[in-house]
Amino acid sequence: MALDPALSPTDQDQYTYGRMDNALVRYDLSSPMIQKTFLYSEKTPSMLYSSDGTYDLIPTLYKYGMVAGSTESNKEVRKLLYSTVPRMIFTPAADGKTDQLTLAVPITNTPGSSPKGMAFYTMSAARLRQEFLDAAAVPNQALMLDFTNGQIVSNTKLAGMKLPPVSRGQNWKLVNQQNKLRVTTAEGSGNLFKVLSVTTPPPRGRR
């Protein structure tokens, strides 16, 4: 995106916005997981661009769960916008809303350099759950993405047992012993999340 001329305009007119809209449509369609792409540019620090127009920066970041919490904070926004590494932002369901999942990627010419902006890819938590459900190899297996403040789980019950809500900082070994679960864990790319496979013991008489 840093090298896409449509996203680094030298001027701002109706043709510029048209080219940006068309470019963002391409990014929206680049993966079935992406619901909407938002673009932040340091040249226009009060707004976000998307394929359907422009949005006010801070209200939109909170509305779409791209910043954790319910109270608008300029400090949290600055920390996010000036990050030099990608971040996965998970906002659990609250106030009747669904889970929000966003991948925030700095737009840089080289990794770790000062960002020219930030791309926000909002994703479908429901679609991820269905993908995990389809990928589970056996009926007594659940797959999940584990974040610092919650999980996206393919199935919350296994063999009639409700899976315990375990945060990333808790001791999975102890949870395994208490609930007789088998949990295998792998780190996701860039330590943005963990991928877990949870299985219950097979029925007696089976191996």
Side-chain angles (χ1 to χ4, degrees):
M1 296 182 84
L3 301 178
D4 190 334
L7 301 181
S8 300
T10 57
D11 54 9
Q12 295 180 23
D13 55 31
Q14 59 180 343
Y15 301 107
T16 295
Y17 292 125
R19 288 191 295 270
M20 292 185 72
D21 288 349
N22 291 335
L24 289 170
V25 167
R26 295 198 307 271
Y27 291 106
D28 285 349
L29 298 175
S30 63
S31 169
M33 292 294 174
I34 297 175
Q35 292 181 313
K36 183 188 282 289
T37 303
F38 291 99
L39 176 70
Y40 168 77
S41 172
E42 61 181 6
K43 294 181 179 180
T44 53
S46 65
M47 65 176 63
L48 289 171
Y49 298 95
S50 75
S51 59
D52 59 358
T54 59
Y55 291 75
D56 291 333
L57 175 67
I58 293 179
T60 303
L61 289 175
Y62 280 91
K63 177 181 178 180
Y64 285 87
M66 291 180 275
V67 178
S70 57
T71 303
E72 294 185 4
S73 166
N74 288 331
K75 181 179 178 181
E76 288 299 315
V77 171
R78 285 195 301 271
K79 184 167 67 174
L80 172 62
L81 295 180
Y82 292 104
S83 173
T84 58
V85 296
R87 295 177 61 184
M88 188 71 81
I89 303 160
F90 177 70
T91 306
D95 300 327
K97 298 179 181 178
T98 58
D99 294 340
Q100 302 284 335
L101 181 64
T102 305
L103 175 62
V105 182
I107 301 174
T108 59
N109 290 327
T110 57
S113 64
S114 180
K116 300 163 62 176
M118 186 75 69
F120 297 94
Y121 304 97
T122 62
M123 292 178 281
S124 170
R127 178 147 192 163
L128 278 170
R129 285 193 185 92
Q130 188 59 50
E131 292 281 344
F132 290 164
L133 192 60
D134 295 341
V138 290
N140 65 321
Q141 180 186 34
L143 301 175
M144 70 173 69
L145 287 182
D146 187 36
F147 306 96
T148 56
N149 58 335
Q151 299 94 18
I152 294 179
V153 189
S154 62
N155 198 340
T156 57
K157 286 186 178 181
L158 288 179
M161 181 181 68
K162 187 174 181 179
L163 294 178
V166 180
S167 70
R168 196 175 188 182
Q170 287 182 280
N171 189 329
W172 269 106
K173 184 177 181 180
L174 179 61
V175 173
N176 297 355
Q177 294 171 348
Q178 292 175 339
N179 297 276
K180 298 181 180 179
L181 300 173
R182 180 181 179 185
V183 180
T184 56
T185 307
E187 289 287 347
S189 177
N191 197 31
L192 297 173
F193 54 85
K194 289 183 179 181
V195 183
L196 289 88
S197 169
V198 183
T199 55
T200 58
R204 291 183 179 180
R206 295 185 182 181
R207 293 185 178 179

mmCIF file of all heavy atoms in Angstrom, residues 103-146:
data_model
loop_
_atom_site.group_PDB
_atom_site.id
_atom_site.type_symbol
_atom_site.label_atom_id
_atom_site.label_comp_id
_atom_site.label_asym_id
_atom_site.label_seq_id
_atom_site.Cartn_x
_atom_site.Cartn_y
_atom_site.Cartn_z
ATOM 1 N N LEU A 103 -7.304 -5.973 11.909
ATOM 2 C CA LEU A 103 -5.857 -6.032 11.722
ATOM 3 C C LEU A 103 -5.391 -4.647 11.309
ATOM 4 O O LEU A 103 -5.825 -4.118 10.283
ATOM 5 C CB LEU A 103 -5.484 -7.047 10.646
ATOM 6 C CG LEU A 103 -3.998 -7.111 10.267
ATOM 7 C CD1 LEU A 103 -3.151 -7.533 11.462
ATOM 8 C CD2 LEU A 103 -3.787 -8.081 9.098
ATOM 9 N N ALA A 104 -4.541 -4.027 12.136
ATOM 10 C CA ALA A 104 -3.998 -2.697 11.850
ATOM 11 C C ALA A 104 -2.555 -2.844 11.396
ATOM 12 O O ALA A 104 -1.730 -3.413 12.117
ATOM 13 C CB ALA A 104 -4.077 -1.813 13.097
ATOM 14 N N VAL A 105 -2.252 -2.351 10.183
ATOM 15 C CA VAL A 105 -0.922 -2.526 9.598
ATOM 16 C C VAL A 105 -0.334 -1.167 9.233
ATOM 17 O O VAL A 105 -0.939 -0.427 8.447
ATOM 18 C CB VAL A 105 -0.984 -3.410 8.336
ATOM 19 C CG1 VAL A 105 0.422 -3.628 7.775
ATOM 20 C CG2 VAL A 105 -1.659 -4.740 8.637
ATOM 21 N N PRO A 106 0.833 -0.815 9.793
ATOM 22 C CA PRO A 106 1.462 0.459 9.415
ATOM 23 C C PRO A 106 1.825 0.459 7.921
ATOM 24 O O PRO A 106 2.280 -0.549 7.386
ATOM 25 C CB PRO A 106 2.721 0.509 10.275
ATOM 26 C CG PRO A 106 2.507 -0.484 11.359
ATOM 27 C CD PRO A 106 1.616 -1.533 10.790
ATOM 28 N N ILE A 107 1.617 1.588 7.280
ATOM 29 C CA ILE A 107 1.995 1.738 5.875
ATOM 30 C C ILE A 107 3.387 2.363 5.851
ATOM 31 O O ILE A 107 3.555 3.546 6.133
ATOM 32 C CB ILE A 107 0.987 2.610 5.114
ATOM 33 C CG1 ILE A 107 -0.411 1.987 5.206
ATOM 34 C CG2 ILE A 107 1.392 2.784 3.664
ATOM 35 C CD1 ILE A 107 -1.505 2.844 4.607
ATOM 36 N N THR A 108 4.387 1.541 5.566
ATOM 37 C CA THR A 108 5.775 1.983 5.601
ATOM 38 C C THR A 108 6.495 1.561 4.325
ATOM 39 O O THR A 108 6.133 0.563 3.695
ATOM 40 C CB THR A 108 6.526 1.374 6.800
ATOM 41 O OG1 THR A 108 6.484 -0.055 6.698
ATOM 42 C CG2 THR A 108 5.890 1.795 8.107
ATOM 43 N N ASN A 109 7.528 2.311 3.962
ATOM 44 C CA ASN A 109 8.352 1.935 2.806
ATOM 45 C C ASN A 109 9.245 0.749 3.126
ATOM 46 O O ASN A 109 9.525 -0.084 2.272
ATOM 47 C CB ASN A 109 9.197 3.122 2.356
ATOM 48 C CG ASN A 109 8.353 4.216 1.732
ATOM 49 O OD1 ASN A 109 7.340 3.950 1.095
ATOM 50 N ND2 ASN A 109 8.748 5.467 1.924
ATOM 51 N N THR A 110 9.695 0.663 4.380
ATOM 52 C CA THR A 110 10.514 -0.456 4.843
ATOM 53 C C THR A 110 10.040 -0.854 6.235
ATOM 54 O O THR A 110 9.563 0.000 7.002
ATOM 55 C CB THR A 110 12.006 -0.086 4.907
ATOM 56 O OG1 THR A 110 12.172 1.060 5.764
ATOM 57 C CG2 THR A 110 12.543 0.230 3.516
ATOM 58 N N PRO A 111 10.138 -2.143 6.595
ATOM 59 C CA PRO A 111 9.669 -2.581 7.918
ATOM 60 C C PRO A 111 10.336 -1.810 9.043
ATOM 61 O O PRO A 111 11.557 -1.623 9.055
ATOM 62 C CB PRO A 111 10.066 -4.060 7.941
ATOM 63 C CG PRO A 111 10.133 -4.461 6.503
ATOM 64 C CD PRO A 111 10.639 -3.246 5.777
ATOM 65 N N GLY A 112 9.525 -1.333 9.987
ATOM 66 C CA GLY A 112 10.043 -0.634 11.151
ATOM 67 C C GLY A 112 10.292 0.844 10.959
ATOM 68 O O GLY A 112 10.574 1.551 11.933
ATOM 69 N N SER A 113 10.193 1.339 9.722
ATOM 70 C CA SER A 113 10.409 2.760 9.489
ATOM 71 C C SER A 113 9.176 3.554 9.894
ATOM 72 O O SER A 113 8.107 2.992 10.142
ATOM 73 C CB SER A 113 10.753 3.024 8.020
ATOM 74 O OG SER A 113 9.672 2.672 7.176
ATOM 75 N N SER A 114 9.317 4.860 9.956
ATOM 76 C CA SER A 114 8.211 5.719 10.372
ATOM 77 C C SER A 114 7.032 5.558 9.415
ATOM 78 O O SER A 114 7.194 5.668 8.194
ATOM 79 C CB SER A 114 8.672 7.174 10.388
ATOM 80 O OG SER A 114 7.627 8.026 10.779
ATOM 81 N N PRO A 115 5.833 5.248 9.929
ATOM 82 C CA PRO A 115 4.694 4.997 9.048
ATOM 83 C C PRO A 115 4.169 6.258 8.374
ATOM 84 O O PRO A 115 4.184 7.336 8.958
ATOM 85 C CB PRO A 115 3.640 4.389 9.973
ATOM 86 C CG PRO A 115 3.990 4.898 11.331
ATOM 87 C CD PRO A 115 5.481 5.046 11.351
ATOM 88 N N LYS A 116 3.721 6.088 7.135
ATOM 89 C CA LYS A 116 3.071 7.170 6.395
ATOM 90 C C LYS A 116 1.578 7.202 6.685
ATOM 91 O O LYS A 116 0.875 8.148 6.341
ATOM 92 C CB LYS A 116 3.297 6.974 4.896
ATOM 93 C CG LYS A 116 4.756 6.965 4.492
ATOM 94 C CD LYS A 116 4.972 6.377 3.118
ATOM 95 C CE LYS A 116 4.274 7.169 2.026
ATOM 96 N NZ LYS A 116 4.585 6.633 0.683
ATOM 97 N N GLY A 117 1.104 6.142 7.298
ATOM 98 C CA GLY A 117 -0.311 6.017 7.616
ATOM 99 C C GLY A 117 -0.572 4.646 8.199
ATOM 100 O O GLY A 117 0.355 3.932 8.587
ATOM 101 N N MET A 118 -1.835 4.262 8.251
ATOM 102 C CA MET A 118 -2.214 2.981 8.836
ATOM 103 C C MET A 118 -3.401 2.420 8.066
ATOM 104 O O MET A 118 -4.341 3.151 7.742
ATOM 105 C CB MET A 118 -2.585 3.162 10.303
ATOM 106 C CG MET A 118 -2.865 1.871 11.053
ATOM 107 S SD MET A 118 -1.389 0.930 11.467
ATOM 108 C CE MET A 118 -0.635 1.982 12.711
ATOM 109 N N ALA A 119 -3.307 1.133 7.733
ATOM 110 C CA ALA A 119 -4.425 0.433 7.096
ATOM 111 C C ALA A 119 -5.138 -0.401 8.153
ATOM 112 O O ALA A 119 -4.490 -1.129 8.915
ATOM 113 C CB ALA A 119 -3.928 -0.457 5.967
ATOM 114 N N PHE A 120 -6.460 -0.279 8.208
ATOM 115 C CA PHE A 120 -7.275 -1.046 9.149
ATOM 116 C C PHE A 120 -8.169 -1.994 8.353
ATOM 117 O O PHE A 120 -8.993 -1.553 7.549
ATOM 118 C CB PHE A 120 -8.153 -0.123 9.992
ATOM 119 C CG PHE A 120 -7.388 0.827 10.859
ATOM 120 C CD1 PHE A 120 -7.097 2.103 10.422
ATOM 121 C CD2 PHE A 120 -6.963 0.440 12.116
ATOM 122 C CE1 PHE A 120 -6.398 2.994 11.223
ATOM 123 C CE2 PHE A 120 -6.263 1.327 12.932
ATOM 124 C CZ PHE A 120 -5.973 2.610 12.479
ATOM 125 N N TYR A 121 -7.995 -3.288 8.585
ATOM 126 C CA TYR A 121 -8.826 -4.292 7.915
ATOM 127 C C TYR A 121 -9.795 -4.861 8.945
ATOM 128 O O TYR A 121 -9.402 -5.631 9.830
ATOM 129 C CB TYR A 121 -7.962 -5.413 7.335
ATOM 130 C CG TYR A 121 -6.894 -4.940 6.383
ATOM 131 C CD1 TYR A 121 -5.588 -4.735 6.829
ATOM 132 C CD2 TYR A 121 -7.181 -4.689 5.046
ATOM 133 C CE1 TYR A 121 -4.594 -4.300 5.965
ATOM 134 C CE2 TYR A 121 -6.194 -4.261 4.169
ATOM 135 C CZ TYR A 121 -4.909 -4.066 4.640
ATOM 136 O OH TYR A 121 -3.925 -3.628 3.782
ATOM 137 N N THR A 122 -11.070 -4.481 8.872
ATOM 138 C CA THR A 122 -12.057 -5.051 9.786
ATOM 139 C C THR A 122 -12.520 -6.378 9.220
ATOM 140 O O THR A 122 -12.774 -6.497 8.015
ATOM 141 C CB THR A 122 -13.256 -4.107 9.983
ATOM 142 O OG1 THR A 122 -13.936 -3.901 8.740
ATOM 143 C CG2 THR A 122 -12.791 -2.757 10.522
ATOM 144 N N MET A 123 -12.614 -7.383 10.084
ATOM 145 C CA MET A 123 -12.886 -8.747 9.636
ATOM 146 C C MET A 123 -14.113 -9.335 10.317
ATOM 147 O O MET A 123 -14.543 -8.850 11.364
ATOM 148 C CB MET A 123 -11.659 -9.625 9.881
ATOM 149 C CG MET A 123 -10.481 -9.259 8.989
ATOM 150 S SD MET A 123 -9.023 -10.246 9.327
ATOM 151 C CE MET A 123 -8.416 -9.410 10.788
ATOM 152 N N SER A 124 -14.629 -10.373 9.727
ATOM 153 C CA SER A 124 -15.844 -11.020 10.210
ATOM 154 C C SER A 124 -15.500 -12.110 11.219
ATOM 155 O O SER A 124 -14.955 -13.152 10.856
ATOM 156 C CB SER A 124 -16.630 -11.630 9.041
ATOM 157 O OG SER A 124 -17.679 -12.437 9.512
ATOM 158 N N ALA A 125 -15.822 -11.856 12.497
ATOM 159 C CA ALA A 125 -15.596 -12.871 13.522
ATOM 160 C C ALA A 125 -16.499 -14.079 13.285
ATOM 161 O O ALA A 125 -16.089 -15.227 13.500
ATOM 162 C CB ALA A 125 -15.850 -12.279 14.906
ATOM 163 N N ALA A 126 -17.722 -13.844 12.806
ATOM 164 C CA ALA A 126 -18.649 -14.958 12.539
ATOM 165 C C ALA A 126 -18.108 -15.862 11.441
ATOM 166 O O ALA A 126 -18.217 -17.091 11.513
ATOM 167 C CB ALA A 126 -20.018 -14.403 12.140
ATOM 168 N N ARG A 127 -17.511 -15.277 10.413
ATOM 169 C CA ARG A 127 -16.958 -16.089 9.330
ATOM 170 C C ARG A 127 -15.769 -16.915 9.821
ATOM 171 O O ARG A 127 -15.597 -18.071 9.425
ATOM 172 C CB ARG A 127 -16.540 -15.201 8.170
ATOM 173 C CG ARG A 127 -15.901 -15.977 7.027
ATOM 174 C CD ARG A 127 -16.182 -15.387 5.692
ATOM 175 N NE ARG A 127 -15.795 -16.288 4.626
ATOM 176 C CZ ARG A 127 -16.200 -16.185 3.382
ATOM 177 N NH1 ARG A 127 -17.052 -15.232 3.048
ATOM 178 N NH2 ARG A 127 -15.810 -17.031 2.464
ATOM 179 N N LEU A 128 -14.938 -16.318 10.683
ATOM 180 C CA LEU A 128 -13.818 -17.068 11.239
ATOM 181 C C LEU A 128 -14.312 -18.250 12.067
ATOM 182 O O LEU A 128 -13.752 -19.348 11.992
ATOM 183 C CB LEU A 128 -12.954 -16.149 12.103
ATOM 184 C CG LEU A 128 -11.944 -15.273 11.362
ATOM 185 C CD1 LEU A 128 -11.339 -14.251 12.307
ATOM 186 C CD2 LEU A 128 -10.854 -16.113 10.719
ATOM 187 N N ARG A 129 -15.363 -18.034 12.866
ATOM 188 C CA ARG A 129 -15.921 -19.140 13.648
ATOM 189 C C ARG A 129 -16.364 -20.280 12.737
ATOM 190 O O ARG A 129 -16.130 -21.456 13.007
ATOM 191 C CB ARG A 129 -17.104 -18.652 14.482
ATOM 192 C CG ARG A 129 -16.717 -17.848 15.688
ATOM 193 C CD ARG A 129 -17.909 -17.665 16.628
ATOM 194 N NE ARG A 129 -17.548 -16.795 17.735
ATOM 195 C CZ ARG A 129 -17.722 -15.476 17.726
ATOM 196 N NH1 ARG A 129 -18.274 -14.884 16.678
ATOM 197 N NH2 ARG A 129 -17.360 -14.750 18.765
ATOM 198 N N GLN A 130 -17.026 -19.938 11.628
ATOM 199 C CA GLN A 130 -17.489 -20.967 10.706
ATOM 200 C C GLN A 130 -16.324 -21.681 10.039
ATOM 201 O O GLN A 130 -16.359 -22.901 9.843
ATOM 202 C CB GLN A 130 -18.403 -20.347 9.631
ATOM 203 C CG GLN A 130 -19.081 -21.378 8.733
ATOM 204 C CD GLN A 130 -19.940 -22.359 9.511
ATOM 205 O OE1 GLN A 130 -20.760 -21.967 10.330
ATOM 206 N NE2 GLN A 130 -19.741 -23.656 9.274
ATOM 207 N N GLU A 131 -15.269 -20.942 9.706
ATOM 208 C CA GLU A 131 -14.072 -21.561 9.121
ATOM 209 C C GLU A 131 -13.463 -22.557 10.099
ATOM 210 O O GLU A 131 -13.056 -23.657 9.715
ATOM 211 C CB GLU A 131 -13.043 -20.482 8.761
ATOM 212 C CG GLU A 131 -13.450 -19.569 7.620
ATOM 213 C CD GLU A 131 -13.250 -20.190 6.249
ATOM 214 O OE1 GLU A 131 -12.520 -21.208 6.153
ATOM 215 O OE2 GLU A 131 -13.839 -19.678 5.287
ATOM 216 N N PHE A 132 -13.393 -22.184 11.376
ATOM 217 C CA PHE A 132 -12.850 -23.092 12.377
ATOM 218 C C PHE A 132 -13.744 -24.312 12.558
ATOM 219 O O PHE A 132 -13.268 -25.429 12.722
ATOM 220 C CB PHE A 132 -12.706 -22.369 13.725
ATOM 221 C CG PHE A 132 -11.636 -21.327 13.757
ATOM 222 C CD1 PHE A 132 -11.604 -20.391 14.773
ATOM 223 C CD2 PHE A 132 -10.656 -21.275 12.786
ATOM 224 C CE1 PHE A 132 -10.617 -19.422 14.811
ATOM 225 C CE2 PHE A 132 -9.669 -20.313 12.808
ATOM 226 C CZ PHE A 132 -9.645 -19.386 13.823
ATOM 227 N N LEU A 133 -15.056 -24.090 12.554
ATOM 228 C CA LEU A 133 -15.999 -25.190 12.715
ATOM 229 C C LEU A 133 -15.826 -26.193 11.583
ATOM 230 O O LEU A 133 -15.832 -27.408 11.790
ATOM 231 C CB LEU A 133 -17.431 -24.651 12.740
ATOM 232 C CG LEU A 133 -18.534 -25.599 13.174
ATOM 233 C CD1 LEU A 133 -18.296 -26.109 14.590
ATOM 234 C CD2 LEU A 133 -19.889 -24.922 13.082
ATOM 235 N N ASP A 134 -15.662 -25.689 10.369
ATOM 236 C CA ASP A 134 -15.461 -26.557 9.207
ATOM 237 C C ASP A 134 -14.114 -27.279 9.264
ATOM 238 O O ASP A 134 -13.975 -28.398 8.749
ATOM 239 C CB ASP A 134 -15.543 -25.750 7.907
ATOM 240 C CG ASP A 134 -16.934 -25.165 7.664
ATOM 241 O OD1 ASP A 134 -17.895 -25.663 8.282
ATOM 242 O OD2 ASP A 134 -17.043 -24.207 6.877
ATOM 243 N N ALA A 135 -13.113 -26.644 9.884
ATOM 244 C CA ALA A 135 -11.762 -27.202 9.904
ATOM 245 C C ALA A 135 -11.544 -28.219 11.020
ATOM 246 O O ALA A 135 -10.568 -28.986 10.974
ATOM 247 C CB ALA A 135 -10.733 -26.083 10.039
ATOM 248 N N ALA A 136 -12.420 -28.224 12.015
ATOM 249 C CA ALA A 136 -12.257 -29.179 13.116
ATOM 250 C C ALA A 136 -12.313 -30.604 12.578
ATOM 251 O O ALA A 136 -13.249 -30.983 11.882
ATOM 252 C CB ALA A 136 -13.332 -28.952 14.176
ATOM 253 N N ALA A 137 -11.286 -31.386 12.912
ATOM 254 C CA ALA A 137 -11.149 -32.715 12.311
ATOM 255 C C ALA A 137 -12.085 -33.746 12.925
ATOM 256 O O ALA A 137 -12.503 -34.688 12.260
ATOM 257 C CB ALA A 137 -9.700 -33.185 12.444
ATOM 258 N N VAL A 138 -12.437 -33.579 14.205
ATOM 259 C CA VAL A 138 -13.265 -34.558 14.906
ATOM 260 C C VAL A 138 -14.330 -33.815 15.710
ATOM 261 O O VAL A 138 -14.166 -32.643 16.047
ATOM 262 C CB VAL A 138 -12.409 -35.442 15.841
ATOM 263 C CG1 VAL A 138 -11.526 -36.378 15.036
ATOM 264 C CG2 VAL A 138 -11.561 -34.585 16.770
ATOM 265 N N PRO A 139 -15.441 -34.484 16.059
ATOM 266 C CA PRO A 139 -16.535 -33.809 16.774
ATOM 267 C C PRO A 139 -16.145 -33.272 18.144
ATOM 268 O O PRO A 139 -16.780 -32.344 18.640
ATOM 269 C CB PRO A 139 -17.602 -34.905 16.900
ATOM 270 C CG PRO A 139 -17.296 -35.867 15.804
ATOM 271 C CD PRO A 139 -15.814 -35.851 15.650
ATOM 272 N N ASN A 140 -15.130 -33.867 18.780
ATOM 273 C CA ASN A 140 -14.755 -33.418 20.125
ATOM 274 C C ASN A 140 -13.596 -32.417 20.094
ATOM 275 O O ASN A 140 -12.868 -32.263 21.057
ATOM 276 C CB ASN A 140 -14.376 -34.611 21.013
ATOM 277 C CG ASN A 140 -13.115 -35.319 20.526
ATOM 278 O OD1 ASN A 140 -12.905 -35.471 19.315
ATOM 279 N ND2 ASN A 140 -12.280 -35.754 21.449
ATOM 280 N N GLN A 141 -13.456 -31.691 18.961
ATOM 281 C CA GLN A 141 -12.388 -30.703 18.835
ATOM 282 C C GLN A 141 -12.971 -29.309 18.597
ATOM 283 O O GLN A 141 -13.938 -29.142 17.856
ATOM 284 C CB GLN A 141 -11.460 -31.049 17.670
ATOM 285 C CG GLN A 141 -10.316 -30.047 17.473
ATOM 286 C CD GLN A 141 -9.500 -30.341 16.225
ATOM 287 O OE1 GLN A 141 -10.025 -30.807 15.220
ATOM 288 N NE2 GLN A 141 -8.200 -30.084 16.304
ATOM 289 N N ALA A 142 -12.371 -28.309 19.244
ATOM 290 C CA ALA A 142 -12.700 -26.910 18.986
ATOM 291 C C ALA A 142 -11.408 -26.179 18.645
ATOM 292 O O ALA A 142 -10.350 -26.471 19.205
ATOM 293 C CB ALA A 142 -13.357 -26.260 20.202
ATOM 294 N N LEU A 143 -11.492 -25.247 17.720
ATOM 295 C CA LEU A 143 -10.352 -24.425 17.342
ATOM 296 C C LEU A 143 -10.630 -22.987 17.743
ATOM 297 O O LEU A 143 -11.776 -22.537 17.696
ATOM 298 C CB LEU A 143 -10.098 -24.514 15.836
ATOM 299 C CG LEU A 143 -9.811 -25.908 15.282
ATOM 300 C CD1 LEU A 143 -9.708 -25.858 13.755
ATOM 301 C CD2 LEU A 143 -8.536 -26.489 15.874
ATOM 302 N N MET A 144 -9.573 -22.252 18.113
ATOM 303 C CA MET A 144 -9.791 -20.868 18.526
ATOM 304 C C MET A 144 -8.585 -19.993 18.223
ATOM 305 O O MET A 144 -7.459 -20.471 18.112
ATOM 306 C CB MET A 144 -10.127 -20.795 20.019
ATOM 307 C CG MET A 144 -8.982 -21.109 20.957
ATOM 308 S SD MET A 144 -9.416 -20.798 22.712
ATOM 309 C CE MET A 144 -10.605 -22.110 22.997
ATOM 310 N N LEU A 145 -8.879 -18.706 18.060
ATOM 311 C CA LEU A 145 -7.855 -17.668 18.078
ATOM 312 C C LEU A 145 -7.917 -17.032 19.452
ATOM 313 O O LEU A 145 -8.983 -16.615 19.907
ATOM 314 C CB LEU A 145 -8.117 -16.602 17.006
ATOM 315 C CG LEU A 145 -7.863 -16.970 15.555
ATOM 316 C CD1 LEU A 145 -8.134 -15.761 14.662
ATOM 317 C CD2 LEU A 145 -6.442 -17.458 15.341
ATOM 318 N N ASP A 146 -6.786 -16.938 20.111
ATOM 319 C CA ASP A 146 -6.713 -16.450 21.486
ATOM 320 C C ASP A 146 -6.011 -15.102 21.505
ATOM 321 O O ASP A 146 -4.875 -14.973 21.033
ATOM 322 C CB ASP A 146 -5.949 -17.470 22.332
ATOM 323 C CG ASP A 146 -5.977 -17.128 23.800
ATOM 324 O OD1 ASP A 146 -7.007 -16.621 24.265
ATOM 325 O OD2 ASP A 146 -4.963 -17.378 24.484
#
